[in-house]
Amino acid sequence: MRILRKVIIACAVVLTAAATPVHGQKPYTVKTVPNVQKQDAGQYVSNPDGTLSASAVNRLNAELLDLRRTTSIEAALVVIGSIGDVPPEDFGIQLFRGWEIGKKAV
């Protein structure tokens, strides 16, 4: 289960590593990425820059909700323009620990 959790974290942060910052945009930090679950527990996709369309966000939220209901896996998808020089794996682990995603007893 730990391996699956790491895979989910890595996948969720892949888009951040591939994206380049928009001119003048500061890189996100773990503290500045919006946690959409704080506003709505049914949301799993943080897309503050609007990279994904609303329909894509809705489809992904539905898929991640179904994943949680059928497997009890907790996941989130974060799509942001830049994390600066922080390795994506480190950023993802710090972010999801801060958001308390994943079971502690796994």
Side-chain angles (χ1 to χ4, degrees):
M1 195 55 113
R2 282 184 166 210
I3 292 172
L4 183 57
R5 182 173 177 223
K6 288 180 181 180
V7 168
I8 290 170
I9 290 171
C11 289
V13 183
V14 164
L15 291 174
T16 65
T20 55
V22 177
H23 179 70
Q25 179 186 25
K26 290 184 179 180
Y28 282 89
T29 68
V30 170
K31 293 183 186 237
T32 61
V33 176
N35 183 346
V36 294
Q37 287 196 335
K38 285 193 172 190
Q39 292 95 27
D40 181 349
Q43 300 295 306
Y44 298 90
V45 179
S46 182
N47 180 41
D49 300 327
T51 303
L52 301 175
S53 68
S55 62
V57 169
N58 289 336
R59 283 193 312 270
L60 289 164
N61 277 323
E63 290 290 329
L64 291 170
L65 175 61
D66 186 53
L67 179 68
R68 183 168 188 169
R69 285 182 180 158
T70 59
T71 67
S72 76
I73 291 174
E74 296 179 11
L77 176 64
V78 176
V79 183
I80 51 180
S82 176
I83 58 172
D85 295 331
V86 179
E89 299 84 5
D90 294 346
F91 189 92
I93 290 169
Q94 292 170 19
L95 181 69
F96 291 173
R97 280 186 181 152
W99 288 4
E100 298 180 347
I101 294 176
K103 307 266 188 269
K104 290 182 181 179
V106 174

